[in-house]
Amino acid sequence: MSGTATRSVPRLSDGVENELGHALPEGICRTFRVMPYAHHQGRILVAVTDAEDAIAEHVVAERLDRPVVLVRHTAHEISDVIDQAYPPVEAEVESPQARRARMQMTRMLTRSGLVTSAQMQRAMLEYSRTGDPLGDILVSHGSISEDVLVAALSEMHQLQRVGLVGFEPDYDIARRLPEKTVRTLQAIPVAETEGEVLVAVARPLSPADAREVEDLLGQPFRQLLANRSDLDQLIQRIHSHHYVDVSTRFLKDNFPERSAHVVVTPAQKALFLVAVVAVVVCAAFWPTATATAVIGAGTLLYLFVALYRVRLTLHALGARLETDVTDEEIAALDERNLPVYTILVPLYREAAIVPRLIRDIDALDYPRTRLDVKLLCEADDLDTIDKIKELALPPHYHLVVVPDSQPKTKPKACNYGLQLATGSLTVIYDAEDRPDPDQLKKVLVAFERVTDDVVCVQAKLNYYNQDQNLLTSWFANEYSMQFELVLPAMGASESPIPLGGSSNHFKTHVLREIGAWDPYNVTEDADLGIRLHREGYRTALVDSTTLEEANSQVGNWVRQRSRWNKGYFQTWLVHMRHPFQLLRQTGLKGFVSFNLTMATALVLLMNPIFWALTSAYLLTEWSVIEAVYPAPVFYASSLMLVVGNFVFVYLNVAGSLQRGEFGLTRTALLSPIYWGLMSYAAWRGFIQLFTNPFYWEKTEHGIDEAPAP
Amino acid sequence: MTSEATETTDASDAAGTAGATETAGSAVTAGAGARATGVATATESPAADTSLRGRSSGVVQAVGRRPADIRRRPWESLAIFVVFAVSYSVLGHWLVVDLHVVGFETLDRWARALMVSTNDPPKLAAVGFDLPPLSVLFLAPFAVVPALTKTLAVVPVVSAVFAGFTMVTVNTMMRRAQVVIAVRLAVLAALGLNPLVVMYASTGGRSFLWLALVLAALGAIFAWYVTADIRFVMVAGVAFAVATLAGYGSLVWFLVSLVLVAVILARLGADGTEVEGTTVGLASPTVYVVALWSAFNLAILGAPFHWVTESSDVGTSGGVSDLSFLEILRGTGELVLDGAPIAIVVLPALLFTGVARRNGFALWLGILLLVTILTPGVAVLVHLTDSPLTMDNALPMLLVSVVGAVWLARSTVQGPGLVAAALAAGLALSIPWTFSSMETFRHQGLERAFHDAITTGETQEGTRTLDGSYVGYGLEQEVADYISDHVDGRGSVLTDNASTYAVVLLTGAPELFLDRVDRSDDDWAEAAEAPADHVDYLLLSTDTARDALSRRYPEAAAGDDLVLEQVFANDRYVLVKVPDDYRYGDQLPDDLDADGNGVLDSEESADPDGALDEGGVGGVVGEGPADSTDSTADEQSGGTP
């Protein structure tokens, strides 16, 4: 209940009661120019400039726990009191000109009926928190279109508009400004006439920016306001060759030793050849001893991998290793200081799940005006491109069309999008991802808390369709173990972390410096984690989850998994080109951790061989098999058979319990069957490493039976 | 998960964590609050129902977060462990090495461990199937230095280590019960000085091997109940599994705990999925090891439940299996009265607290203690025990009573200190009582020898237990010394290690022997048939009923063989030299036929594989079921009859 009063009540000049000084947040006080100041007859008196302002009344009444009475005061009186309660910080306080412009925009849009009171109230509230331009907020909410906003700005700033849809640019003119300037200022020359260049801009340039543009052009120019989405498309079109070149060649040209464009180096080939010849020769002369040595080495590898996993798991079970962020810490974030966050979403033939993707990104608790969402599509994927265009998304969604070129991989698309990124932080999500709504803010807090060398924060991954069938349950078991136990322990021990394919949050400038993703590596995520570590950077785990779609079809799953295994082999080969250099850069612990992590792919290759040996012996008791198992090898093998296998099964149970996925514990007990599938996929990937190393086995998404609401 | 316990925090723990005062019930409430917040946030998103918080809505345990718990004190735990482990080891050295107070079952396990570690070749098969496998395998790493096993110096160390671990577990439980450190130390001292604890911790027996793990599991369930932290269910699950393979009796505690966890979750309103998932997490390790062990029994012995029906843990009820129901009741009462008198107070207190104050965990501990007390008697009734109503059965009763008393301390309105102090006093008062009982208790092993060794400080070599068994290993040592001095060829002494394990152990050189573990039973039988082709000596036990080789060469075992020259002999063993051209049958014994088949008794004749399979695979049994229990008969009697 609220009301208004203009006489016979205390005035602001009588002072502000102590408990009311901070009853409303600063942003609301300044945005709506309101100030609660006294209790009177069971009501709270609130100073306002316009006692009839229904929006201000509603906002204030919602936030105070008693009925309010709006009391008209002058703007000057109210501002003074607000400044006393919240001493102004120069950079954060709205200038009078800006306030006038905002009020002008408000009046223009409300009086014309283009925006409802509710929409304006919502936008004003967001403005009070973020201080972002009101028009941009309204556009990001979908309350008005970008064209309407451009028209309004054109009116306010007395600038001409220009439509860029269907515009055929003159490339020479368009490239008169360097790509970096074009990208950062969102300004591109579109024509030249009567001694001046016409420059399409997203927003009127500041005087300093205008001077810079004029200097670069070397002649006067005139600004034309353009739709941001259209301008963005034009910029991509003009500079696409540059972007393609950088996204495919940067790493290869600048850090060739870190690029997987060569699968096996000549030195590695020679080494492997010598090893194979040595084994063959030894096998010819000393078959039993050679077999024993090979089996012993394999068993030892099993043992080390198992012990390492157990150690990590015990560490994770014994302590909380992820970076925890509380709701209170998130609430305490000042949204005026939130950075622009770039979200890269590679899409390929995934038109059907685009609406779901937009819904889940919209659900993120982050000001949309500070989101820079890049929807990365391949040029030949017209369905997805058309679908995105059809949705007429607000301009914080950027359709990025990656021109057709080789290698046609997800990392290349990400590299392409990264060049257009405007955020200081960048995260990659897959098309079907459902991140926790507060994930971006959690990561921000996490970055503030960890040491400066942490440049990547990995969120946990799991699956929303885990109950769909046995395969998805197994997959969820595996991810629960990996992201609840193994990776947190690796992060805590500062070991190189093979990043997950999604929900890695980076400091953008570092990502660019090190060459971002390797377009030739089919597990570019794992490779990037290792490269970050080699450069002296670290990765932390945050306690926030992104739910993905688990592969529910065996064929699709095998394709995905074979790519992962192929990528692990690629990554191992790349980083082991100079093992001593790797050892020096990562330290012994990191070196061992890297090798044991990558060795999981090798273990999957060995599994069928050892299973066959065990089965053959049990069925035939063939003395030859017995002969190649001397006591130490036999004991180690027995330990792995009897204890190791169960430990791996139970780690899956533990991961699911740790996550509270009680329904998955049963399927975890059946995971040895899953290992069979994993081994099949590993062999497929291994063979493909030689036959088609850069081929990207595309995972089909959106095939879960129970689509999300 | 308790709503009944209202605790106060003692000074030492209050600084450690405020959460220590939190009941699991409140932890669950807090969890629900957190989830409520999450759900409220999530409802802003259409996809909210799939978020973790949304999905875990209604879960009564702490998942995805760490509930408050006591702060870790590794140095305190380490100090307690070291004090008890070292004390028991030192005392054990005096008892075992100097005063010869050690059970033959213990020597048997060490001999097997030695053969697993350092035989020629090392053989996992030496573990056998008649003992819980981990009761041997736990010793194997300690047996890699034969010099230490030869002198028996390492024998008390393992039991002492496990006893030290038990004390750490009890201390941690008391910390969770907010017992102040002074009282905790008093309880630990009183428990640690209990003569039953001292004896089984310091003489190398296997009781503490599995009891330490059972206590660890109970401690984990205790922690789970207090904190609602799901991790402790996993800890308990793994501990029970390992305990099962160290002592089959652990299965009783495991089953009772499994029921408890399910019932508590159901009472708290957990849905079926949570109950099922949690019980799967708790049960799967134990189910796995039981299934695996049964599979091994099936694959190698053809009898999946051989470990239940034929192991040394069962079937040796012997004469006492004929006890009447009333005698069993009386024996049970004596066990409680003499071995764990605090149970007389703790059991009714737990049951009363459980029922009258609706304290679920107290009720469960009461049931657990009752089961612990009744198990030895029931085992006698169903002929499933290796030590019927013997005094070692009082040890689990004592330890479970302590756990129960610790929980009572945590649950008391007056504060934990008073009850814990009463526990310390009760334990201290029972020390002379129990010690005195050890001299006269009807069914016992080495208790009287232990009592006499402590009171007199004199060696027990050659003394007799209450049932007339021989104490000490002096005769074995004589033979071992002779062999060590005169034999140096690998595999040059043929012997049935099921009977001569103590000699093998005391030589510290199992590679000198061609025993039934080394190769297959067929190979061993072939060597027994033509020893001159394989060995230089035969080591025979004078007790032909227990030794397959002595049965084949009874005259040599008696020292009457004219061809097989006796080179060393004492009351229990004969070492004979095998002439180069000797063939079995050169001097045909009266009770053998020309083929030598007569060495097998009628039962073995009916099943030609019987004797050899057991020895070849199990390694040290070598005899049919009746004989396979010999070593355990030694354990209960404490010596050789």
Side-chain angles (χ1 to χ4, degrees), chain B residues 492-528:
Chain B
S492 56
V493 181
L494 183 67
T495 191
D496 177 2
N497 53 289
S499 177
T500 59
Y501 52 84
V503 177
V504 175
L505 172 69
L506 290 165
T507 62
E511 70 275 12
L512 296 178
F513 299 88
L514 177 56
D515 51 58
R516 300 178 63 179
V517 176
D518 286 344
R519 295 172 204 147
S520 69
D521 263 325
D522 288 342
D523 289 341
W524 186 85
E526 185 185 317

Coordinates of all heavy atoms in Angstrom, one line a residue, chain B residues 492-528:
Chain B
S492 N 65.8 -78.9 -1.6 CA 66.4 -80.2 -1.4 C 65.8 -80.9 -0.2 O 66.2 -82.0 0.2 CB 67.9 -80.0 -1.1 OG 68.1 -79.0 -0.1
V493 N 64.8 -80.3 0.4 CA 64.1 -81.0 1.5 C 62.6 -81.2 1.2 O 61.9 -80.2 1.0 CB 64.2 -80.2 2.9 CG1 63.5 -81.0 4.0 CG2 65.6 -79.9 3.2
L494 N 62.2 -82.4 1.0 CA 60.8 -82.7 0.7 C 60.0 -82.7 1.9 O 60.4 -83.3 2.9 CB 60.6 -84.0 -0.1 CG 59.2 -84.3 -0.5 CD1 58.8 -83.4 -1.7 CD2 59.1 -85.8 -1.0
T495 N 58.9 -81.9 2.0 CA 58.1 -81.9 3.2 C 56.7 -81.6 2.9 O 56.3 -81.0 1.8 CB 58.7 -80.9 4.2 OG1 58.1 -81.1 5.5 CG2 58.4 -79.4 3.7
D496 N 55.8 -81.9 3.8 CA 54.4 -81.5 3.7 C 54.2 -80.3 4.6 O 54.1 -80.4 5.8 CB 53.5 -82.6 4.2 CG 52.0 -82.2 4.2 OD1 51.7 -81.1 3.8 OD2 51.2 -83.0 4.7
N497 N 54.2 -79.2 4.0 CA 54.3 -77.9 4.7 C 53.0 -77.7 5.5 O 53.0 -76.9 6.5 CB 54.5 -76.7 3.8 CG 53.5 -76.7 2.7 OD1 53.5 -77.6 1.8 ND2 52.5 -75.8 2.7
A498 N 51.9 -78.4 5.2 CA 50.7 -78.3 6.1 C 51.0 -78.7 7.5 O 50.3 -78.3 8.4 CB 49.6 -79.1 5.5
S499 N 52.0 -79.6 7.6 CA 52.3 -80.0 9.0 C 53.6 -79.4 9.5 O 53.8 -79.3 10.7 CB 52.5 -81.6 8.9 OG 52.9 -82.1 10.1
T500 N 54.5 -79.0 8.6 CA 55.8 -78.5 9.0 C 56.0 -77.1 8.8 O 57.1 -76.6 8.8 CB 56.9 -79.3 8.3 OG1 56.8 -79.1 6.9 CG2 56.8 -80.8 8.6
Y501 N 54.9 -76.3 8.7 CA 55.0 -74.9 8.4 C 55.9 -74.1 9.3 O 56.6 -73.2 9.0 CB 53.6 -74.2 8.3 CG 52.8 -74.5 9.5 CD1 52.9 -73.7 10.6 CD2 51.9 -75.5 9.5 CE1 52.1 -73.9 11.8 CE2 51.1 -75.8 10.6 CZ 51.2 -75.0 11.7 OH 50.4 -75.2 12.9
A502 N 55.8 -74.5 10.6 CA 56.6 -73.7 11.6 C 58.1 -73.9 11.4 O 58.8 -72.9 11.6 CB 56.2 -74.2 13.0
V503 N 58.5 -75.1 11.0 CA 59.9 -75.3 10.7 C 60.3 -74.5 9.5 O 61.4 -73.8 9.5 CB 60.2 -76.8 10.4 CG1 61.6 -77.0 10.1 CG2 59.8 -77.6 11.7
V504 N 59.5 -74.5 8.5 CA 59.8 -73.7 7.3 C 59.9 -72.2 7.6 O 60.9 -71.6 7.2 CB 58.6 -73.9 6.2 CG1 58.9 -73.0 5.0 CG2 58.5 -75.3 5.8
L505 N 59.0 -71.8 8.5 CA 59.1 -70.4 8.9 C 60.4 -70.0 9.6 O 61.0 -69.0 9.3 CB 57.8 -70.0 9.7 CG 57.8 -68.7 10.4 CD1 57.6 -67.6 9.3 CD2 56.7 -68.6 11.4
L506 N 60.7 -70.9 10.5 CA 61.8 -70.6 11.4 C 63.2 -70.7 10.7 O 64.2 -70.2 11.2 CB 61.8 -71.5 12.6 CG 60.6 -71.1 13.6 CD1 60.4 -72.2 14.6 CD2 60.9 -69.8 14.3
T507 N 63.2 -71.4 9.6 CA 64.4 -71.4 8.8 C 64.6 -70.1 8.0 O 65.7 -69.7 7.7 CB 64.5 -72.5 7.7 OG1 63.4 -72.3 6.8 CG2 64.3 -73.9 8.3
G508 N 63.4 -69.5 7.8 CA 63.5 -68.2 7.0 C 63.9 -68.4 5.6 O 64.2 -67.5 4.8
A509 N 63.9 -69.7 5.2 CA 64.3 -70.0 3.8 C 63.4 -71.1 3.2 O 63.8 -72.2 3.0 CB 65.8 -70.5 3.9
P510 N 62.2 -70.7 2.8 CA 61.3 -71.6 2.2 C 61.8 -72.3 0.9 O 61.4 -73.3 0.5 CB 60.1 -70.8 1.9 CG 60.5 -69.4 1.9 CD 61.7 -69.3 2.8
E511 N 62.8 -71.6 0.3 CA 63.3 -72.1 -1.0 C 64.1 -73.4 -0.8 O 64.4 -74.1 -1.7 CB 64.2 -71.1 -1.6 CG 65.6 -70.8 -1.0 CD 65.4 -69.7 0.2 OE1 64.3 -69.4 0.5 OE2 66.5 -69.3 0.7
L512 N 64.5 -73.7 0.5 CA 65.2 -75.0 0.8 C 64.3 -76.2 0.6 O 64.7 -77.3 0.5 CB 65.8 -75.0 2.2 CG 66.9 -73.9 2.5 CD1 67.3 -74.0 3.9 CD2 68.1 -74.1 1.5
F513 N 63.0 -75.9 0.7 CA 62.0 -77.0 0.8 C 61.3 -77.2 -0.6 O 61.0 -76.2 -1.3 CB 61.0 -76.7 1.8 CG 61.6 -76.6 3.2 CD1 62.0 -75.3 3.7 CD2 61.7 -77.7 4.1 CE1 62.6 -75.2 4.9 CE2 62.2 -77.6 5.3 CZ 62.7 -76.3 5.8
L514 N 61.1 -78.5 -0.9 CA 60.1 -78.8 -2.0 C 58.8 -79.1 -1.3 O 58.6 -80.2 -0.8 CB 60.7 -80.0 -2.8 CG 59.7 -80.4 -3.9 CD1 59.4 -79.3 -4.9 CD2 60.4 -81.6 -4.7
D515 N 58.0 -78.1 -1.2 CA 56.7 -78.3 -0.5 C 55.5 -78.4 -1.5 O 55.7 -78.3 -2.7 CB 56.6 -77.2 0.5 CG 56.7 -75.8 -0.1 OD1 56.0 -75.5 -1.1 OD2 57.7 -75.0 0.3
R516 N 54.4 -78.4 -0.9 CA 53.2 -78.6 -1.7 C 52.7 -77.4 -2.4 O 51.8 -77.4 -3.2 CB 52.1 -79.3 -0.9 CG 52.6 -80.6 -0.3 CD 51.5 -81.2 0.5 NE 50.3 -81.6 -0.2 CZ 49.3 -82.2 0.3 NH1 49.3 -82.5 1.6 NH2 48.2 -82.4 -0.4
V517 N 53.4 -76.3 -2.1 CA 53.0 -75.0 -2.7 C 53.9 -74.7 -3.9 O 53.4 -74.1 -4.9 CB 53.2 -73.8 -1.7 CG1 52.9 -72.5 -2.4 CG2 52.3 -74.0 -0.5
D518 N 55.1 -75.3 -3.9 CA 56.1 -74.9 -5.0 C 55.6 -75.1 -6.4 O 55.7 -74.3 -7.2 CB 57.4 -75.7 -4.8 CG 58.1 -75.2 -3.6 OD1 57.8 -74.0 -3.1 OD2 59.0 -75.9 -3.1
R519 N 55.1 -76.3 -6.6 CA 54.6 -76.6 -7.9 C 53.2 -77.2 -7.8 O 52.5 -76.9 -6.9 CB 55.5 -77.6 -8.6 CG 56.9 -77.0 -8.9 CD 57.9 -78.0 -9.4 NE 59.3 -77.6 -9.1 CZ 60.3 -78.4 -8.8 NH1 60.1 -79.7 -8.8 NH2 61.5 -77.9 -8.5
S520 N 52.8 -78.1 -8.7 CA 51.5 -78.7 -8.5 C 51.6 -79.9 -7.6 O 52.6 -80.4 -7.2 CB 51.0 -79.2 -9.9 OG 51.8 -80.3 -10.3
D521 N 50.4 -80.3 -7.1 CA 50.3 -81.5 -6.3 C 50.8 -82.7 -7.0 O 51.4 -83.6 -6.3 CB 48.9 -81.7 -5.8 CG 48.8 -81.1 -4.4 OD1 49.7 -81.1 -3.6 OD2 47.7 -80.5 -4.1
D522 N 50.6 -82.8 -8.3 CA 51.1 -83.9 -9.0 C 52.7 -84.0 -8.9 O 53.3 -85.0 -8.8 CB 50.7 -83.8 -10.5 CG 49.2 -84.1 -10.6 OD1 48.6 -84.7 -9.7 OD2 48.6 -83.7 -11.7
D523 N 53.3 -82.8 -9.1 CA 54.7 -82.8 -9.0 C 55.2 -83.2 -7.6 O 56.2 -83.9 -7.4 CB 55.2 -81.3 -9.3 CG 55.0 -81.0 -10.8 OD1 54.9 -81.9 -11.6 OD2 55.0 -79.8 -11.1
W524 N 54.5 -82.7 -6.6 CA 54.9 -83.0 -5.2 C 54.7 -84.6 -5.0 O 55.6 -85.2 -4.4 CB 54.0 -82.3 -4.2 CG 54.4 -82.4 -2.8 CD1 55.4 -81.7 -2.2 CD2 53.9 -83.4 -1.9 NE1 55.6 -82.2 -0.9 CE2 54.7 -83.2 -0.7 CE3 53.0 -84.4 -1.9 CZ2 54.4 -84.0 0.5 CZ3 52.8 -85.2 -0.8 CH2 53.5 -85.0 0.4
A525 N 53.6 -85.1 -5.5 CA 53.4 -86.5 -5.3 C 54.5 -87.3 -6.1 O 54.9 -88.4 -5.6 CB 52.0 -86.9 -5.9
E526 N 54.8 -86.8 -7.2 CA 55.9 -87.5 -8.0 C 57.2 -87.5 -7.2 O 57.9 -88.5 -7.2 CB 56.0 -86.8 -9.3 CG 57.0 -87.4 -10.3 CD 57.2 -86.5 -11.5 OE1 56.2 -86.0 -12.1 OE2 58.4 -86.4 -12.0
A527 N 57.5 -86.3 -6.6 CA 58.7 -86.3 -5.8 C 58.6 -87.2 -4.6 O 59.6 -87.8 -4.2 CB 58.9 -84.8 -5.3
A528 N 57.4 -87.3 -4.0 CA 57.3 -88.2 -2.9 C 57.5 -89.7 -3.3 O 57.9 -90.5 -2.5 CB 55.9 -88.0 -2.2

